[in-house]
């Protein structure tokens, strides 16, 4: 069994200037104000759109990320219906094969006490042992044996959404009411998105990460 850390990375990010230009063109099409486009005008109009709550225009920008997280966080992400996801399948992935290291990967949940950690890791080892017996010794298909695996089993997710939806997701999942596991992952996501596309995420970064 391997205990790994959650992670996030941007996948083939669109260059910032290209993203700015696409959104500005869409926004200015409404008023046919293309003659007002100049250096720095995109940042100004996008900031004004977001501040006024008119975020439909930022739907013209899309961002794809790669998450490594656990199945519990996956269940929460899946509730966002406008988020397109490609998820590592426990039906077709057989962790008892050499390709997957003959072991499961798990992510330690936030908030475990020392005593709780001992119980958690013990339960994970029991689950892994049961899975290996079922798949290796009993010939149980992975799609059936996966039923014994815990929510903390690690998974790989490619997730894509437009910027408006990402702002919605980040606003909910970076909030203090969110579970700490997904909150930490989303704060890391917000930091990356702010660094790549500052004008689109500056207000959220100031609210949830910087302060």
């Amino acid at each position: 069994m391997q205990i790994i850390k959650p992670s996030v990375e941007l996948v083939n990010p669109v260059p910032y200037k290209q993203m700015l230009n696409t959104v500005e063109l869409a926004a200015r099409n409404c008023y046919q104000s293309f003659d007002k486009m100049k250096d720095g005008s995109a940042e100004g109009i996008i900031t004004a759109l977001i501040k006024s709550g008119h975020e439909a225009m930022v739907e013209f920008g899309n961002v794809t990320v790669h998450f490594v997280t656990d199945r519990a966080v996956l269940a929460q992400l899946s509730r966002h219906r406008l988020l397109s996801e490609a998820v590592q399948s426990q039906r077709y992935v057989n962790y008892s094969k050499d390709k997957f290291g003959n072991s499961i990967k798990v992510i330690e949940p936030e908030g475990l006490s020392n005593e709780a950690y001992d119980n958690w890791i013990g339960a994970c080892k029991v689950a892994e042992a049961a899975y290996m017996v079922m798949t290796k010794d009993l010939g149980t298909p992975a799609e059936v044996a996966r039923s014994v695996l815990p929510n903390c089993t690690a998974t790989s997710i490619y997730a894509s959404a437009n910027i408006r939806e990402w702002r919605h997701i980040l606003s909910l999942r970076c909030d203090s009411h969110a579970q700490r596991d997904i909150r930490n992952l989303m704060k890391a996501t917000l930091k990356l998105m702010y660094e790549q596309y500052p004008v689109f995420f500056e207000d959220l970064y100031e609210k949830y990460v910087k302060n």
Side-chain angles (χ1 to χ4, degrees):
M1 187 180 73
Q2 303 175 58
I3 302 175
I4 65 171
K5 297 289 186 182
S7 64
V8 59
E9 62 178 339
L10 301 185
V11 179
N12 298 324
V14 174
Y16 184 43
K17 287 187 177 180
Q18 182 179 330
M19 186 78 82
L20 288 172
N21 184 253
T22 299
V23 174
E24 182 177 19
L25 285 170
R28 291 199 180 280
N29 183 62
C30 300
Y31 306 100
Q32 292 293 292
S33 60
F34 301 114
D35 57 306
K36 295 183 179 180
M37 292 181 69
K38 59 183 180 180
D39 288 343
S41 62
E43 289 92 336
I45 194 171
I46 291 167
T47 298
L49 288 168
I50 290 173
K51 188 175 182 179
S52 68
H54 183 38
E55 296 190 17
M57 295 301 101
V58 301
E59 292 178 14
F60 286 88
N62 285 273
V63 182
T64 298
V65 302
H66 175 216
F67 293 119
V68 174
T69 185
D70 64 21
R71 304 290 294 195
V73 168
L74 167 62
Q76 296 176 66
L77 287 174
S78 297
R79 296 191 180 114
H80 298 283
R81 297 181 182 181
L82 298 183
L83 182 67
S84 298
E85 295 175 282
V87 182
Q88 176 184 311
S89 173
Q90 287 186 333
R91 183 181 183 193
Y92 297 107
V93 169
N94 187 331
Y95 300 117
S96 68
K97 302 295 185 182
D98 291 342
K99 180 179 179 180
F100 302 103
N102 301 287
S103 66
I104 66 170
K105 294 178 181 178
V106 296
I107 293 177
E108 180 184 342
E110 297 284 346
L112 290 176
S113 64
N114 291 336
E115 294 81 3
Y117 176 85
D118 292 339
N119 279 273
W120 169 76
I121 199 168
C124 290
K125 289 178 179 179
V126 169
E128 180 186 49
Y131 178 89
M132 295 303 168
V133 168
M134 292 171 75
T135 53
K136 284 185 173 183
D137 302 334
L138 303 178
T140 307
E143 67 179 10
V144 177
R146 62 178 170 166
S147 62
V148 303
L149 295 176
N151 267 348
C152 61
T153 304
T155 191
S156 170
I157 307 166
Y158 280 77
S160 184
N162 65 61
I163 288 178
R164 185 183 193 179
E165 179 64 12
W166 276 121
R167 286 178 54 82
H168 172 67
I169 292 169
L170 293 166
S171 295
L172 293 176
R173 302 303 183 176
C174 290
D175 187 79
S176 60
H177 292 91
Q179 181 186 359
R180 208 184 332 171
D181 300 82
I182 195 169
R183 187 166 76 241
N184 289 345
L185 185 66
M186 289 300 104
K187 283 186 175 182
T189 304
L190 175 54
K191 184 174 184 293
L192 286 180
M193 290 191 179
Y194 168 72
E195 290 170 350
Q196 182 70 25
Y197 306 113
V199 73
F200 294 98
F201 297 99
E202 183 176 11
D203 58 330
L204 299 182
Y205 179 81
E206 293 282 339
K207 182 176 182 180
Y208 295 113
V209 178
K210 188 174 180 179
N211 296 326

